[in-house]
Amino acid sequence: MPVIDLDRERQTVDLDAALEAVGPFRRGQQVQLALVGLSWLLAAVQTLTAVVWACLDPLRHLPDQVACTKPDDQACIEALASGALCSLPRETWAWRSPGASLVSEWDMVCGRRWLLYFQSSLFFIATLAGCVLWQLSAERYGRRRLLYAGAMLCGLASVLASTAPSLWLYLVFRAASGAAMGGMGLAAYALAADVAGPSWRGSLGIFMNHFFSVGACVGTLLAWWLPASWRLLTFLAGLFCLAYIPTWSLVVESPQWLLLHGKKGDATAALATLALANGTRPPEHPLADPTALLGNTQRELKDVLASSRLRQRLALLGGAWFGAAAGYFGLMLLADGMSRGASGSDDSVYVTLLSAFAYEVPGIAAAGLAVERAGRKATGIAAFMQAGLCMVVAAVLGHTARRALVVAARFGLAAAFASLYLHTSELFPTVVREHGLAAANLFGRAGAAIAPLWAFLQFKLHSSFVPLLVLGCLCMAGGALTAMLPETLGERVPETIQELNTLLNLRRKRSWRVALAGILRPGAGGGAGQGGLQTQRSASLQGGEAYAAVVPARSA
């Protein structure tokens, strides 16, 4: 059993030591991860239903989907054969399956084509708003309550959207489901990370990404196997969210949030629940009050923005998140157009997306291995560059090679997202970690919100060249921004902003001393007695972590 650091005077144990004592990542935490991870799976199904499967373009197979209202109308027959649907009066043709997609349900063709891309952007903008609402509400209402409130709202809004009699009412309900989904993802991540021991906490961002990729595969198979009906798919996606609500009693609230809000008894009960599931015993001594955090006034997003160092980190991370999300969701929306004419089968878009989402799983696993060996920066840079290069090369190649490279790009994009979650959570002090992660996530939502623009360009230009080229450049820019971030592998995450500033100032002084030593003693040898350099350990004032400082050795 791990050694517990006790406050000898008060005989208390801090939260991280208590989590290590009950088991850092055993059955209790694994069940918690599986339960909250299901919300990411449901979010993937919701996203695909809203912006892909409900929006498939029936005009890809024009003769099969559109018929002339008069069988003997030769002008209509010739126009449909040549693909000139928009040259015909609306009353001269009709959809064969009006309820197959939003396009055929509400005539999102010709002059109303912009509505198709508008509703996709609206969904992503609503998820961005959901992130903002989560940031404003998380500290007051807790993670578990917001997760399940989001699931209920998302489910109800989706069910109502499936019955919407008009397009504008559908947009209202779809925006509500997107806003609810935006808060669910962040709440789920916090619930998974806060019950794990510090030795496992960083890896959970990697694990969580698997649920989204698996959910995307499930959503693709569901749309492939079920009859073509956007209302049925939307209803089922909402029903799945409502079916998730009974798991409420199985999820443990964040012990850290409970402690910070003076609910030490509830935090102790949460630890006892984890210990029971793990087959261990909770600590014998009571939990220590997080005095460093409770007495710290710099705990809000405004404090992150007020710090020049954290503001710089957030700007770099925001650009990386923007590029990753633009590439990820942009490729998702380009799939329908790139599958056009790929084969005589209607299944080509399903095959393309299913293979792409399945390819994400090994990408996330590879990122999980690389971040612990090569580091967070190197993993992120390599992932961004692999995805960017695949998209740039795909822009100039033929159709078959293009589809293969686009699928390969999903490997890098999934790895980039996985490494970003881990890297972002380690670049902000513990007290503002979730604010920093949520703020960076906002940039990702903004990148997703402009993803329909690339599908619009693809439609207007009748080519994927420009969208793929731009998305590839955005991903490579994300890699360049990642290269400017500090490495966090093996570094202890500071508790507060003040502690971060102290540690960085200490490193800056050390670097000046090293540079000065090199100037004053350029030919110094390695021996201490010969006036060389020796390495001594200096502890940070607040962090308690030893750092190596190279200083000139004193002569005997």
Side-chain angles (χ1 to χ4, degrees):
M1 180 175 292
V3 177
I4 301 174
D5 297 327
L6 298 177
D7 183 333
R8 294 183 178 180
E9 297 180 359
R10 301 177 60 187
Q11 290 294 297
T12 58
V13 59
D14 65 40
L15 180 59
D16 282 347
L19 287 170
E20 289 288 341
V22 301
F25 192 67
R26 298 178 66 174
R27 183 178 300 173
Q29 289 91 342
Q30 292 165 9
V31 171
Q32 176 100 336
L33 174 64
L35 290 174
V36 299
L38 280 176
S39 66
W40 280 38
L41 187 151
L42 296 173
V45 174
Q46 282 283 346
T47 302
L48 281 170
T49 302
V51 302
V52 179
W53 305 129
C55 307
L56 290 181
D57 188 2
L59 298 183
R60 291 187 302 117
H61 308 282
L62 188 62
D64 298 329
Q65 298 298 325
V66 179
C68 298
T69 54
K70 296 180 180 180
D72 57 347
D73 189 343
Q74 193 61 33
C76 176
I77 295 174
E78 292 177 358
L80 293 183
S82 62
L85 176 69
C86 295
S87 64
L88 295 172
R90 179 60 185 87
E91 63 273 8
T92 62
W93 58 271
W95 297 102
R96 294 185 185 273
S97 302
S101 75
L102 296 176
V103 177
S104 56
E105 180 83 22
W106 286 302
D107 280 349
M108 294 182 181
V109 293
C110 304
R112 292 168 57 86
R113 182 79 184 188
W114 64 274
L115 288 170
L116 179 63
Y117 308 107
F118 171 75
Q119 71 90 28
S120 297
S121 286
L122 180 64
F123 177 81
F124 287 122
I125 292 172
T127 62
L128 187 152
C131 290
V132 174
L133 291 175
W134 183 88
Q135 221 169 16
L136 296 174
S137 308
E139 289 302 316
R140 179 176 181 180
Y141 297 107
R143 288 86 170 100
R144 185 172 69 157
R145 191 176 299 175
L146 289 180
L147 172 63
Y148 285 92
M152 179 178 293
L153 176 58
C154 189
L156 290 175
S158 295
V159 170
L160 291 173
S162 69
T163 63
S166 67
L167 172 61
W168 302 110
L169 198 56
Y170 168 81
L171 293 178
V172 170
F173 291 135
R174 183 47 79 192
S177 67
M181 196 189 76
M184 286 172 59
L186 293 171
Y189 179 81
L191 285 169
D194 288 352
V195 299
S199 58
W200 280 87
R201 199 168 290 151
S203 303
L204 292 178
I206 305 288
F207 293 156
M208 292 289 286
N209 281 271
H210 282 292
F211 287 95
F212 194 91
S213 297
V214 172
C217 292
V218 171
T220 302
L221 291 173
L222 195 66
W224 194 357
W225 291 339
L226 290 177
S229 171
W230 72 268
R231 292 187 183 273
L232 177 60
L233 288 173
T234 305
F235 176 80
L236 289 177
L239 193 62
F240 293 155
C241 286
L242 295 176
Y244 176 69
I245 295 174
T247 63
W248 159 278
S249 60
L250 302 177
V251 173
V252 177
E253 179 58 276
S254 163
Q256 180 178 342
W257 181 83
L258 293 170
L259 273 180
L260 288 175
H261 287 76
K263 301 180 180 181
K264 186 184 293 187
D266 292 337
T268 303
L271 288 174
T273 301
L274 293 173
L276 180 63
N278 293 342
T280 59
R281 297 180 60 185
E284 297 179 358
H285 300 282
L287 287 172
D289 292 323
T291 52
L293 301 183
L294 289 172
N296 183 59
T297 58
Q298 297 183 339
R299 298 168 52 181
E300 303 296 335
L301 178 61
K302 64 180 181 181
D303 300 310
V304 174
L305 299 177
S307 169
S308 60
R309 287 163 170 162
L310 293 182
R311 192 166 59 243
Q312 180 183 20
R313 292 183 178 188
L314 180 59
L316 295 173
L317 284 168
W321 275 84
F322 183 91
Y328 187 91
F329 292 103
L331 287 187
M332 186 185 294
L333 297 183
L334 291 176
D336 190 21
M338 285 190 291
S339 300
R340 189 174 307 179
S343 65
S345 171
D346 294 346
D347 298 338
S348 56
V349 64
Y350 299 101
V351 173
T352 299
L353 282 176
L354 183 61
S355 57
F357 293 137
Y359 211 57
E360 291 178 8
V361 176
I364 298 170
L369 296 175
V371 292
E372 298 299 333
R373 291 164 174 80
R376 282 63 163 146
K377 279 180 60 173
T379 302
I381 294 169
F384 272 116
M385 292 302 175
Q386 186 268 348
L389 288 173
C390 282
M391 284 187 273
V392 170
V393 175
V396 299
L397 293 184
H399 188 85
T400 302
R402 178 182 301 154
R403 293 178 68 195
L405 284 170
V406 165
V407 169
R410 308 288 304 191
F411 181 97
L413 286 169
F417 259 122
S419 63
L420 272 178
Y421 263 98
L422 175 57
H423 204 178
T424 303
S425 66
E426 293 178 343
L427 283 171
F428 292 94
T430 302
V431 72
V432 292
R433 179 185 62 200
E434 291 174 10
H435 289 297
L437 184 60
N441 201 269
L442 289 179
F443 288 91
R445 302 297 182 181
I450 67 167
L453 172 63
W454 316 123
F456 175 74
L457 287 176
Q458 181 191 54
F459 173 77
K460 282 294 185 181
L461 301 175
H462 304 286
S463 170
S464 301
F465 174 78
V466 172
L468 287 175
L469 186 63
V470 174
L471 291 176
C473 292
L474 283 175
C475 285
M476 288 190 284
L481 293 174
T482 303
M484 291 186 275
L485 290 167
E487 179 57 72
T488 57
L489 177 62
E491 300 287 342
R492 191 184 63 81
V493 179
E495 292 287 333
T496 63
I497 296 178
Q498 296 93 326
E499 182 181 341
L500 173 68
N501 291 330
T502 300
L503 298 182
L504 293 180
N505 289 336
L506 180 65
R507 292 181 181 179
R508 178 176 294 181
K509 291 179 181 178
R510 182 192 67 181
S511 65
W512 275 104
R513 297 173 76 177
V514 172
L516 184 61
I519 294 173
L520 296 179
R521 301 173 181 267
Q530 299 176 354
L533 299 180
Q534 69 178 15
T535 300
Q536 72 176 24
R537 309 292 293 182
S538 64
S540 74
L541 297 179
Q542 298 184 36
E545 181 183 6
Y547 290 93
V550 181
V551 298
R554 297 180 179 179
S555 300

